[in-house]
Structures are given as C-alpha cells and as structure tokens.
Amino acid sequence: MPKLSSNQLQEYNDNGYVAPIEVLTKDQAFEIRKEIENIETKWPNELKGAGRNYVHMISPILDEVCHNSKMLDAVESIIGKNILICGTTLFIKNPHEKGFVSFHQDATYIGLEPHNWVTAWLAITDANKENGCMRMWSGSHKDNIRHHEQKYDEGNLLTRGQTVENVPLDETIPLILKAGQMSLHHPTIVHGSGLNKSNDRRIGFVVQSYIGSNVDQVLGKMYVQQARGDDTFKYHQHTKKPSSLMNPKDIEIRKKANNDLQRIFYPGSTKKGSF
Ligand SMILES: O=C(O)CCC(=O)C(=O)O
C-alpha cells in the first residue's frame, strides 16, 4: 500500500505537517463540491454555524471520502493501523466575506488525549495564497500547548477565536493545494489562514481528526466510525455509515453528536462562538 514515504514522514516529524498528498482527481473533488452545494441549496440551514460539523453523518458521499484508502494509508503511517474517524468539519470561505482562521493549535480545547491523532485537510477547491490557504508555523508542534487568547472576533472561523499571538507571519509556510490534494497536520502545530480575496469559494473538507483507537475524549463524548483495524479501547460511541442523504435517523444522530460537541467546545462557558 502506498503509505507515506520515509521523506514524507520525516517532513511530518520535522515540520509538523506534510503536503501535498494526492487523494482525489479534480473531477472527483468537484463532485464533492456539488454534493456540498446541493445540501446548501436544498437545506439552507443545515451546514451553517455548528452545522459545519459531522457532515459525513448525513451524506454518504462525504462519508465515503473519510474512508478513502489513499487518505487512510497516509494516516496509518502516522498513527498506526487502528484508526477512528472522530469528526469532520467544513471550512468554507466565501469570496469577499470576512472569514479567517486565527493562529492556533488544534489540541487546545479539543480534549483528545494522548496526541496520537492527525488532521486531514482535503482541498475541495484549490487552496492558495489568494483565497486564504492554511499557513503553518513549521516546527512549532515540538513545543507544548501555548497560551491562546479567546477573542471571539468577527469573521473568525474558530469556535472561540482562540489565538496564539505574535506568530511571525513571514516565517509561516502557505499550504498550497490543488483540488483533490490533502495535507496532514499535527495536533500541536500552530497554523491559521487569511481572507479569501479571490472570486470563488475556498472549500476544505477536514477530517478532524483521525484518531488512534487509544485516544480518549477527556472533555465529553464523541461519535466515531471505524476506518481501519480494531477498537479494543472502546472509549467512544460508534456510529453507522449514513444510509442516504439527509435520512431522518442519521439527522437525529448527527444532532446528538453536534450537541455533545458543543459541550466539549464550550464547557461551562458563558460565551459561545458561532460554531
Ligand atoms: O481551513 C482553514 O483555513 C483552517 C482549518 C484548520 O484550522 C484545521 O483544519 O485545523
């Protein structure tokens, strides 16, 4: 199986990310875009706010992406063969809107311990400097969790606007991806992204994250699917694949999963962000 090469693995270990990894053809990526836009058209509120999470639970097409063998082969090289899908998020930036992502570390506020997990960012459209691709602070994953200011600022696509201050922007590396390519990043790498200044949408479908079955959720409850191997730890609630697009039973489970996710994101918090 075409797992990550030793050079790619070295890149991940040294820098905290690896890219690009070929996953889908441009046409396949476009089919995924059509599925997302079909949901947006037919069910206009479904993907808004917290609805950007767990979309794979209501769309067999998006679910299938999470089980893509090219993605899983690469992920297996990093976290081993017992792989769970513990969540997905759509990061969409529409043109001329204020969407951006402040510099942050994913491991903050997510409750997944130990850090045997990896985030897969799949480009559904091209992602480049003009439309606000992710930027990585290379090597920053080697430090511990840094202080995050909670800013709740307008346009920030993160839950609390959590921000690592004083990141040297000109030292960060843009992750330029073609539609269908993916990047993998480490739980503690500092990363973020700027505005979309292009005339088209920038869409990332993010498996957030693939976790080893030894990873527990210490802040709440998560809903997982087995992607590969076994789950002898049984820390999480396992769910089935969605049976059809927007099937009422799947919608119900997704609602539960999203409510539980809110408890993880905002434990005892008096203030809530849009997601
Ligand atoms: O899509 C973006 O610009 C940022 C996404 C992100 O922070 C993540 O996938 O961890």
Coordinates of all heavy atoms in Angstrom, one line a residue, residues 121-181:
W121 N -6.7 17.7 5.9 CA -7.4 18.8 5.3 C -7.4 18.5 3.8 O -6.4 18.6 3.1 CB -6.6 20.1 5.6 CG -7.3 21.4 5.4 CD1 -7.9 22.2 6.4 CD2 -7.6 22.1 4.2 NE1 -8.4 23.3 5.9 CE2 -8.3 23.3 4.5 CE3 -7.4 21.9 2.8 CZ2 -8.8 24.2 3.6 CZ3 -7.8 22.8 1.9 CH2 -8.5 24.0 2.3
L122 N -8.6 18.2 3.3 CA -8.7 17.9 1.9 C -9.3 19.1 1.1 O -10.3 19.6 1.4 CB -9.7 16.7 1.8 CG -10.0 16.2 0.3 CD1 -8.7 15.6 -0.3 CD2 -11.1 15.1 0.4
A123 N -8.5 19.4 0.1 CA -8.9 20.6 -0.7 C -10.0 20.2 -1.7 O -9.8 19.3 -2.6 CB -7.7 21.1 -1.5
I124 N -11.2 20.8 -1.5 CA -12.3 20.5 -2.4 C -12.3 21.5 -3.6 O -12.7 21.2 -4.7 CB -13.7 20.6 -1.7 CG1 -13.7 19.6 -0.5 CG2 -14.9 20.3 -2.6 CD1 -13.4 18.2 -0.9
T125 N -11.8 22.7 -3.3 CA -11.4 23.6 -4.4 C -9.9 23.8 -4.2 O -9.3 23.4 -3.2 CB -12.0 25.0 -4.2 OG1 -11.6 25.5 -2.9 CG2 -13.6 24.9 -4.2
D126 N -9.3 24.5 -5.2 CA -7.9 24.8 -5.0 C -7.7 25.7 -3.7 O -8.7 26.4 -3.4 CB -7.3 25.7 -6.2 CG -7.2 24.9 -7.5 OD1 -7.4 23.7 -7.4 OD2 -7.0 25.5 -8.5
A127 N -6.6 25.6 -3.1 CA -6.4 26.5 -1.9 C -5.0 27.1 -2.1 O -4.0 26.4 -2.4 CB -6.4 25.6 -0.6
N128 N -5.0 28.4 -2.1 CA -3.8 29.1 -2.5 C -3.7 30.4 -1.7 O -4.6 30.7 -0.9 CB -3.7 29.4 -4.0 CG -5.0 30.0 -4.5 OD1 -5.5 30.9 -3.9 ND2 -5.5 29.5 -5.6
K129 N -2.6 31.2 -1.9 CA -2.4 32.4 -1.1 C -3.6 33.4 -1.3 O -4.0 34.0 -0.4 CB -1.1 33.1 -1.4 CG 0.1 32.3 -0.9 CD 1.3 33.2 -1.2 CE 2.6 32.4 -1.3 NZ 3.7 33.1 -1.8
E130 N -4.1 33.5 -2.5 CA -5.1 34.5 -2.8 C -6.4 34.1 -2.1 O -7.1 35.0 -1.6 CB -5.3 34.5 -4.3 CG -6.2 35.7 -4.7 CD -6.7 35.7 -6.1 OE1 -6.6 34.6 -6.8 OE2 -7.4 36.7 -6.5
N131 N -6.8 32.8 -2.0 CA -8.1 32.5 -1.4 C -7.9 32.1 0.1 O -8.9 31.6 0.6 CB -8.9 31.5 -2.3 CG -8.3 30.1 -2.3 OD1 -7.3 29.8 -1.6 ND2 -8.8 29.3 -3.2
G132 N -6.8 32.3 0.6 CA -6.6 32.1 2.1 C -6.4 30.6 2.5 O -7.1 30.0 3.3
C133 N -5.3 30.0 1.9 CA -4.9 28.7 2.2 C -4.4 28.7 3.7 O -4.1 29.8 4.2 CB -3.9 28.1 1.3 SG -2.3 29.0 1.3
M134 N -4.3 27.5 4.3 CA -3.7 27.4 5.6 C -2.2 27.8 5.5 O -1.5 27.6 4.5 CB -3.8 26.0 6.2 CG -5.2 25.7 6.7 SD -5.1 24.2 7.8 CE -4.7 22.9 6.6
R135 N -1.7 28.4 6.6 CA -0.3 28.7 6.8 C 0.2 28.0 8.0 O -0.5 28.1 9.1 CB -0.1 30.2 6.9 CG -0.5 31.0 5.7 CD -0.1 32.4 5.7 NE 1.3 32.5 5.5 CZ 1.9 32.9 4.3 NH1 1.1 33.2 3.3 NH2 3.2 32.9 4.2
M136 N 1.3 27.3 7.9 CA 1.9 26.5 9.0 C 3.1 27.2 9.6 O 4.0 27.6 8.8 CB 2.3 25.1 8.5 CG 1.1 24.3 8.0 SD 0.1 23.6 9.3 CE -1.5 23.4 8.6
W137 N 3.2 27.2 10.9 CA 4.4 27.7 11.6 C 5.3 26.4 11.8 O 5.1 25.7 12.8 CB 4.1 28.4 12.9 CG 5.3 29.1 13.5 CD1 6.5 29.3 12.9 CD2 5.3 29.7 14.7 NE1 7.3 30.1 13.7 CE2 6.6 30.3 14.9 CE3 4.4 29.9 15.8 CZ2 7.0 31.0 16.0 CZ3 4.8 30.5 16.9 CH2 6.1 31.1 17.0
S138 N 6.1 26.2 10.8 CA 6.9 25.0 10.8 C 7.7 24.7 12.0 O 8.4 25.6 12.5 CB 7.8 25.1 9.6 OG 8.3 23.9 9.2
G139 N 7.6 23.5 12.6 CA 8.4 23.1 13.7 C 7.7 23.5 15.1 O 8.2 23.0 16.1
S140 N 6.7 24.3 15.0 CA 6.1 24.8 16.3 C 5.4 23.6 17.0 O 5.0 23.8 18.2 CB 5.0 25.9 16.0 OG 4.1 25.5 15.1
H141 N 5.1 22.5 16.4 CA 4.5 21.4 17.0 C 5.4 20.8 18.1 O 4.9 20.0 18.9 CB 4.1 20.3 16.0 CG 5.3 19.7 15.4 ND1 6.2 20.4 14.6 CD2 5.8 18.4 15.4 CE1 7.1 19.6 14.2 NE2 6.9 18.3 14.6
K142 N 6.7 21.1 18.1 CA 7.6 20.5 19.1 C 7.5 21.1 20.4 O 8.0 20.6 21.4 CB 9.0 20.6 18.6 CG 9.2 19.7 17.3 CD 10.6 19.8 16.8 CE 10.8 19.1 15.5 NZ 11.9 19.5 14.7
D143 N 6.8 22.3 20.5 CA 6.6 22.9 21.8 C 5.3 22.4 22.4 O 4.5 21.8 21.7 CB 6.6 24.4 21.7 CG 7.9 24.9 21.3 OD1 8.9 24.3 21.6 OD2 8.0 26.0 20.7
N144 N 5.1 22.8 23.7 CA 3.8 22.4 24.3 C 2.7 23.3 23.8 O 2.9 24.2 23.0 CB 4.0 22.6 25.8 CG 4.9 21.5 26.4 OD1 5.0 20.4 25.8 ND2 5.6 21.9 27.4
I145 N 1.5 23.1 24.4 CA 0.4 23.9 24.1 C 0.7 25.4 24.6 O 1.1 25.6 25.7 CB -0.9 23.4 24.9 CG1 -1.3 22.0 24.4 CG2 -2.1 24.4 24.7 CD1 -1.8 22.0 23.0
R146 N 0.5 26.3 23.7 CA 0.8 27.7 24.0 C -0.5 28.4 24.6 O -1.6 27.9 24.4 CB 1.2 28.4 22.8 CG 2.6 28.0 22.3 CD 2.7 28.4 20.8 NE 3.8 27.6 20.2 CZ 5.0 28.0 20.0 NH1 5.3 29.3 20.2 NH2 6.0 27.3 19.4
H147 N -0.2 29.6 25.1 CA -1.4 30.4 25.6 C -2.2 30.8 24.4 O -1.7 31.3 23.4 CB -0.9 31.6 26.4 CG -2.0 32.5 26.7 ND1 -3.0 32.1 27.7 CD2 -2.4 33.7 26.2 CE1 -3.9 33.1 27.7 NE2 -3.6 34.1 26.9
H148 N -3.5 30.6 24.5 CA -4.4 31.1 23.4 C -5.3 32.2 24.0 O -6.0 32.0 25.0 CB -5.3 30.0 22.9 CG -4.6 29.0 22.0 ND1 -3.6 28.2 22.5 CD2 -4.8 28.7 20.7 CE1 -3.2 27.4 21.5 NE2 -3.9 27.7 20.4
E149 N -5.3 33.4 23.4 CA -6.3 34.4 23.8 C -7.6 34.1 23.2 O -7.7 33.6 22.0 CB -5.8 35.7 23.0 CG -5.3 36.9 23.8 CD -5.4 37.0 25.3 OE1 -6.5 37.2 25.8 OE2 -4.4 36.8 25.9
Q150 N -8.7 34.2 24.0 CA -10.0 33.9 23.4 C -10.6 35.2 22.9 O -11.1 36.0 23.7 CB -10.9 33.3 24.5 CG -10.3 31.9 24.9 CD -11.2 31.2 25.8 OE1 -12.4 31.3 25.8 NE2 -10.6 30.4 26.7
K151 N -10.7 35.4 21.6 CA -11.1 36.7 21.1 C -12.5 36.8 20.6 O -13.0 37.9 20.5 CB -10.1 37.1 20.0 CG -8.7 37.2 20.4 CD -7.9 37.9 19.3 CE -6.6 38.4 19.9 NZ -5.9 39.2 18.9
Y152 N -13.1 35.7 20.2 CA -14.4 35.7 19.7 C -14.6 36.8 18.6 O -15.6 37.5 18.6 CB -15.5 35.9 20.8 CG -15.6 34.7 21.8 CD1 -14.9 34.7 23.0 CD2 -16.3 33.6 21.5 CE1 -15.0 33.7 23.9 CE2 -16.4 32.5 22.4 CZ -15.7 32.6 23.6 OH -15.8 31.5 24.4
D153 N -13.6 37.0 17.8 CA -13.6 38.1 16.9 C -14.5 37.8 15.6 O -14.5 36.6 15.2 CB -12.2 38.6 16.5 CG -11.2 37.5 16.4 OD1 -11.6 36.3 16.5 OD2 -10.0 37.8 16.2
E154 N -15.0 38.8 15.0 CA -15.9 38.7 13.9 C -15.1 38.1 12.7 O -14.0 38.5 12.4 CB -16.4 40.1 13.5 CG -17.6 40.0 12.6 CD -17.9 41.4 11.9 OE1 -17.3 42.4 12.3 OE2 -18.7 41.3 11.0
G155 N -15.7 37.1 12.0 CA -15.1 36.5 10.9 C -14.2 35.4 11.2 O -13.9 34.6 10.3
N156 N -13.9 35.2 12.5 CA -13.0 34.1 12.9 C -13.8 32.8 12.8 O -14.9 32.6 13.4 CB -12.5 34.3 14.3 CG -11.2 33.5 14.5 OD1 -11.1 32.4 14.0 ND2 -10.3 34.0 15.4
L157 N -13.3 31.8 12.0 CA -14.0 30.5 11.8 C -13.7 29.5 12.9 O -14.2 28.4 12.9 CB -13.6 29.9 10.5 CG -13.9 30.8 9.2 CD1 -13.5 30.1 8.0 CD2 -15.3 31.2 9.1
L158 N -13.0 30.0 14.0 CA -12.7 29.1 15.1 C -13.8 29.3 16.2 O -14.4 30.4 16.2 CB -11.4 29.3 15.7 CG -10.2 29.0 14.8 CD1 -8.9 29.2 15.6 CD2 -10.3 27.5 14.3
T159 N -14.0 28.3 17.0 CA -15.1 28.4 18.0 C -15.0 29.6 18.9 O -16.0 30.3 19.0 CB -15.2 27.1 18.8 OG1 -13.8 26.8 19.3 CG2 -15.7 25.9 18.0
R160 N -13.9 29.8 19.5 CA -13.7 30.9 20.4 C -12.8 32.0 19.9 O -12.4 32.9 20.7 CB -13.1 30.4 21.7 CG -13.7 29.2 22.4 CD -12.7 28.6 23.3 NE -13.3 27.4 24.0 CZ -13.3 27.3 25.3 NH1 -12.8 28.3 26.1 NH2 -13.8 26.2 25.9
G161 N -12.5 31.9 18.7 CA -11.5 32.9 18.2 C -10.2 32.7 18.9 O -9.4 33.7 19.2
Q162 N -9.9 31.5 19.3 CA -8.6 31.2 20.1 C -7.4 31.6 19.2 O -7.3 31.1 18.1 CB -8.6 29.8 20.6 CG -8.7 28.7 19.6 CD -10.1 28.2 19.3 OE1 -11.0 29.0 19.3 NE2 -10.2 26.9 19.1
T163 N -6.5 32.3 19.8 CA -5.4 32.9 19.1 C -4.1 32.8 19.8 O -3.9 33.2 20.9 CB -5.7 34.4 18.8 OG1 -7.0 34.5 18.2 CG2 -4.6 35.0 17.9
V164 N -3.1 32.3 19.1 CA -1.7 32.3 19.6 C -1.2 33.7 19.0 O -1.2 33.9 17.8 CB -0.8 31.2 19.0 CG1 0.6 31.3 19.4 CG2 -1.4 29.8 19.6
E165 N -0.7 34.5 19.9 CA -0.3 35.9 19.5 C 1.2 35.8 19.0 O 1.9 34.9 19.4 CB -0.4 36.9 20.6 CG -1.7 37.0 21.3 CD -2.7 37.9 20.5 OE1 -2.4 38.2 19.3 OE2 -3.6 38.4 21.2
N166 N 1.6 36.8 18.3 CA 3.0 37.0 17.9 C 3.6 35.9 17.0 O 4.8 35.6 17.2 CB 3.9 37.3 19.1 CG 3.4 38.5 19.9 OD1 3.0 39.5 19.3 ND2 3.4 38.3 21.2
V167 N 2.8 35.4 16.2 CA 3.3 34.4 15.2 C 4.0 35.1 14.1 O 3.4 36.1 13.5 CB 2.2 33.5 14.7 CG1 2.7 32.5 13.6 CG2 1.6 32.7 15.8
P168 N 5.2 34.8 13.7 CA 5.9 35.6 12.7 C 5.3 35.1 11.3 O 5.7 34.1 10.7 CB 7.4 35.1 12.8 CG 7.3 33.8 13.5 CD 6.0 33.8 14.3
L169 N 4.4 35.9 10.8 CA 3.7 35.6 9.6 C 4.6 35.3 8.4 O 4.4 34.3 7.7 CB 2.7 36.7 9.2 CG 1.7 36.4 8.1 CD1 0.8 35.3 8.4 CD2 0.9 37.7 7.8
D170 N 5.7 36.1 8.3 CA 6.5 35.8 7.1 C 7.4 34.6 7.3 O 8.0 34.1 6.3 CB 7.4 37.1 6.8 CG 8.1 37.6 8.0 OD1 7.9 37.0 9.1 OD2 8.9 38.6 7.9
E171 N 7.4 33.9 8.4 CA 8.1 32.6 8.6 C 7.1 31.5 8.4 O 7.5 30.3 8.4 CB 8.7 32.5 10.0 CG 9.9 33.4 10.2 CD 10.4 33.3 11.6 OE1 10.2 32.2 12.3 OE2 11.0 34.3 12.0
T172 N 5.8 31.8 8.3 CA 4.8 30.7 8.1 C 4.8 30.2 6.7 O 5.0 31.0 5.8 CB 3.4 31.1 8.6 OG1 3.0 32.2 7.8 CG2 3.4 31.4 10.1
I173 N 4.5 28.9 6.5 CA 4.5 28.3 5.1 C 3.1 28.2 4.6 O 2.3 27.5 5.3 CB 5.2 26.9 5.2 CG1 6.5 27.0 5.9 CG2 5.3 26.3 3.8 CD1 7.6 27.8 5.2
P174 N 2.8 28.7 3.4 CA 1.5 28.5 2.8 C 1.3 27.1 2.3 O 2.2 26.6 1.6 CB 1.4 29.5 1.7 CG 2.8 29.8 1.3 CD 3.7 29.5 2.5
L175 N 0.2 26.5 2.6 CA -0.1 25.1 2.2 C -0.9 25.2 0.9 O -2.1 25.2 0.9 CB -0.8 24.3 3.2 CG 0.1 23.7 4.3 CD1 -0.7 22.6 5.1 CD2 1.3 23.1 3.8
I176 N -0.2 25.3 -0.2 CA -0.9 25.4 -1.5 C -1.3 24.1 -2.0 O -0.5 23.2 -2.2 CB 0.0 26.2 -2.5 CG1 0.3 27.6 -1.9 CG2 -0.6 26.3 -3.9 CD1 1.3 28.4 -2.6
L177 N -2.6 23.9 -2.2 CA -3.1 22.6 -2.6 C -4.0 22.8 -3.9 O -4.7 23.8 -4.0 CB -4.0 22.0 -1.5 CG -3.3 21.7 -0.2 CD1 -4.3 21.2 0.9 CD2 -2.2 20.6 -0.4
K178 N -4.0 21.8 -4.7 CA -4.9 21.7 -5.8 C -6.1 21.0 -5.3 O -6.0 20.1 -4.4 CB -4.3 20.9 -7.0 CG -3.2 21.7 -7.7 CD -3.8 22.5 -8.8 CE -2.8 23.5 -9.4 NZ -3.4 24.8 -9.7
A179 N -7.3 21.2 -5.9 CA -8.5 20.5 -5.6 C -8.2 19.0 -5.7 O -7.7 18.5 -6.7 CB -9.6 20.9 -6.5
G180 N -8.5 18.3 -4.6 CA -8.2 16.8 -4.6 C -7.0 16.4 -3.8 O -6.8 15.3 -3.5
Q181 N -6.2 17.4 -3.5 CA -4.9 17.1 -2.7 C -5.2 17.3 -1.2 O -6.1 18.1 -0.9 CB -3.8 18.0 -3.1 CG -3.3 17.7 -4.5 CD -2.1 18.6 -4.9 OE1 -2.0 19.8 -4.5 NE2 -1.2 18.1 -5.8

